[in-house]
Amino acid sequence: MAKKLFIKTYGCQMNVYDSARMADVLAPLGYTAAAAAEDADMVILNTCHVREHAAEKVFSELGRLRQLKQAKAAAGSGLVIAVAGCVAQAEGDEILARAPFVDIVLGPQTYHRLAEMVARASRAGGRVLDTEFPIEPKFDHLPAPRADGPAAFLSVQEGCDKFCTFCVVPYTRGGEYSRPAAAILDEAGRLAEQGVREFTLLGQNVNAYHGAGADGGSWGLGRLIRALARLPGVERIRYTTSHPRDMDDDLIAAHRDVPGLMPFLHLPVQSGSDRILTAMNRQHGADDYRRLVDRLRAARPDLALSSDFIVGFPGETDTDFEATRRLIGQVGFAQAYSFKYSSRPGTPAAALPEQVPEAVKDQRLALLHGLIGEQAQAFNAACVGRSFPVLLDRPGRHPGQLLGRSPYMQSVFVTAPEAMLNTVQTLCVAAAYTNSLAAVIAPAEGDKEARACA
Ligand code: SAH
Ligand code: SF4
Ligand code: F3S
């Protein structure tokens, strides 16, 4: 029987990937996508636990779903409510206790068993909690993925063994696991056959990748990227999120050697102060980061960087914060995210004395937002007059217009024939706005990668 499924996704790209895979798992049961929870027979909240704010949103959304379930019951229909993802993993028992109307609670490593859980929940009207870390990886049990447009996420690595002192991810996602290269190349090949041109390789620590290679040895991420770039149809490759400690020589060389590897790297550094980096257990110093950026830029001169910063980590002084501002000024980012430190239950940093007052965190966050915003504007402005390949993946707002992503993830709009939808085109950037670039199609003659803009 046809049934409708609505999935609401919070958190990182890994969750976006997982949500798509959960939809794949439920498709054989007759579930197709609903536009809103109101139209659905089943709702999944795929949750994030990384900051307090993210987890709170889940409980308020559950309040709304409870009312929806009551209204549907009064009208004689039902609603299956499932909570998945990292809050489910960390607080599964609490969700079941606090929200008796939730039918299923499942962690990020068990969703290949979701169909069975739905059957169990509906059969006895029983409730299901499945937050194990199974011995067998879920990837071995998932159906083949379906393409949804010309860009796709591809999970290559999961979990984390780094244990930064502020972070819940090692607890919610479990230990480090790398998928075998053959399985990844197979998934990529199938997606490329369906028209996918751009792949974003995903992992909590994607450059810690060390999967079994197609030749029997262990492959690093650089090796995997080279193999992927050789597959027919694969035009563009990105990867996220990287840890500075795991940028090895071969991966840096891949930025020099693989033209399809996009010159844009999200490389979180969190702080510019060595004292704070040590307290965070990041296992590198600020100068290590500066040197790494220099090596990356030497390998790929048009590389641009993005990063994550935490302000107000316990014990962070004005001097530490100044060091962060100095690092940002020296490196220069195309874009960056900054967050107020959020104390997470069970993490070592939560127990540290000297928690920073909220007002100080607010001040520092505003300063970083300002600084990063200026750098992003300057970066966008410097793109005017440059040409680069853009994946045109959506119709624009106005007729005759297409929208796409630059190598640097900027939104680019251009007047172009509809036949160019879902293709990569070389565009000249004509103007920069706060959140997008305007472009024109580059002249047809000349080198594809570097045609001069008139
Ligand atoms: N694996 C990635 C980050 C995953 S979490 C890495 O190592 O860089 C994404 C971002 O959330 C982190 O980079 C960090 O900036 C932020 N973050 C994680 N835990 C946080 C916390 N307790 N408070 C504030 N920000 C946090
Ligand atoms: Fe969290 Fe650190 Fe692992 Fe990133 S590397 S997921 S910040 S513990
Ligand atoms: Fe959030 Fe889990 Fe991703 S905590 S950031 S959804 S790994």
Side-chain angles (χ1 to χ4, degrees):
M1 201 184 70
K3 283 172 275 183
K4 291 279 185 190
L5 170 68
F6 183 72
I7 306 182
K8 183 157 182 175
T9 308
Y10 304 80
C12 62
Q13 282 116 330
M14 192 66 87
N15 263 13
V16 176
Y17 176 87
D18 290 343
S19 289
R21 305 317 310 276
M22 285 193 270
D24 290 344
V25 169
L26 291 178
L29 298 192
Y31 282 98
T32 55
E38 286 69 24
D39 309 326
D41 303 286
M42 176 169 181
V43 173
I44 303 175
L45 299 185
N46 195 11
T47 62
C48 173
H49 200 235
V50 79
R51 286 171 291 276
E52 195 180 353
H53 185 58
E56 271 168 12
K57 278 199 227 159
V58 173
F59 282 101
S60 65
E61 184 64 32
L62 278 176
R64 277 194 289 279
L65 287 180
R66 169 198 208 153
Q67 288 176 348
L68 182 63
K69 188 167 181 158
Q70 283 167 348
K72 280 186 180 271
S77 60
L79 181 68
V80 178
I81 301 177
V83 183
C86 292
V87 179
Q89 186 66 44
E91 297 183 5
D93 291 320
E94 197 183 329
I95 293 170
L96 285 180
R98 268 176 68 177
F101 51 92
V102 169
D103 302 284
I104 299 169
V105 174
L106 73 158
Q109 305 306 347
T110 55
Y111 62 77
H112 55 293
R113 302 200 283 239
L114 188 53
E116 189 188 311
M117 293 179 215
V118 173
R120 260 165 59 203
S122 58
R123 225 181 5 244
R127 307 173 76 203
V128 180
L129 173 71
D130 191 349
T131 50
E132 276 177 53
F133 288 128
I135 308 287
E136 274 194 47
K138 63 181 179 244
F139 296 105
D140 296 350
H141 303 276
L142 290 172
R146 293 168 300 170
D148 179 21
F153 289 136
L154 184 49
S155 176
V156 305
Q157 180 280 343
E158 265 217 63
C160 182
D161 292 336
K162 293 267 191 308
F163 291 95
C164 301
T165 54
F166 53 82
C167 184
V168 293
V169 170
Y171 312 97
T172 63
R173 288 273 167 174
E176 218 278 319
Y177 169 78
S178 295
R179 295 176 70 190
I184 296 165
L185 294 171
D186 180 59
E187 189 171 324
R190 286 165 192 257
L191 288 167
E193 277 168 18
Q194 297 172 53
V196 173
R197 295 292 163 258
E198 176 176 302
F199 289 88
T200 302
L201 309 183
L202 295 182
Q204 263 83 29
N205 245 293
V206 70
N207 57 344
Y209 178 80
H210 60 281
D215 57 2
S218 170
W219 285 15
L221 190 65
R223 187 86 190 268
L224 181 69
I225 286 170
R226 287 168 209 267
L228 203 62
R230 283 194 291 269
L231 292 181
V234 175
E235 291 188 51
R236 288 150 72 103
I237 301 171
R238 307 175 183 277
Y239 60 92
T240 196
T241 299
S242 314
H243 192 290
R245 285 274 305 190
D246 294 319
M247 286 310 296
D248 64 18
D249 294 347
D250 186 51
L251 183 56
I252 295 173
H255 279 277
R256 181 193 62 211
D257 303 335
V258 181
L261 182 56
M262 291 291 100
F264 185 55
L265 183 60
H266 183 61
L267 193 61
V269 60
Q270 317 296 354
S271 169
S273 154
D274 287 338
R275 219 175 59 82
I276 296 296
L277 286 170
T278 303
M280 287 176 164
N281 190 31
R282 291 292 288 185
Q283 302 171 44
H284 67 81
D287 278 342
D288 297 318
Y289 189 83
R290 290 184 184 88
R291 276 193 293 271
L292 177 57
V293 168
D294 288 345
R295 289 175 61 210
L296 281 158
R297 285 181 167 151
R300 180 86 203 225
D302 59 348
L303 186 93
L305 290 152
S306 110
S307 198
D308 291 342
F309 295 93
I310 294 178
V311 298
F313 184 84
E316 185 187 67
T317 62
D318 285 339
T319 314
D320 295 316
F321 180 63
E322 275 315 308
T324 300
R325 292 219 280 174
R326 201 161 54 242
L327 180 77
I328 295 174
Q330 288 160 340
V331 172
F333 293 95
Q335 181 207 313
Y337 303 92
S338 38
F339 308 105
K340 287 194 279 182
Y341 168 74
S342 170
S343 169
R344 305 310 289 133
T347 59
L352 290 175
E354 305 181 89
Q355 297 287 327
V356 173
E358 211 53 30
V360 175
K361 289 188 199 170
D362 285 332
Q363 251 171 15
R364 290 180 185 166
L365 187 70
L367 285 168
L368 280 204
H369 276 163
L371 181 56
I372 288 163
E374 278 167 29
Q375 291 197 345
Q377 288 306 306
F379 181 79
N380 283 353
C383 289
V384 175
R386 282 181 69 185
S387 70
F388 38 59
V390 173
L391 177 65
L392 296 168
D393 60 350
R394 281 157 295 161
R397 240 181 299 157
H398 304 292
Q401 209 177 57
L402 295 178
L403 261 173
R405 291 266 168 204
S406 78
Y408 306 111
M409 294 299 278
Q410 299 140 302
S411 285
V412 186
F413 58 92
V414 63
T415 301
E418 211 183 310
M420 286 186 178
L421 188 64
N422 296 340
T423 66
V424 176
Q425 297 293 332
T426 303
L427 303 184
C428 288
V429 180
Y433 303 102
T434 315
N435 294 311
S436 62
L437 302 175
V440 295
I441 296 166
E445 66 281 354
D447 176 338
K448 188 169 188 270
E449 290 299 320
R451 289 188 302 219
C453 294

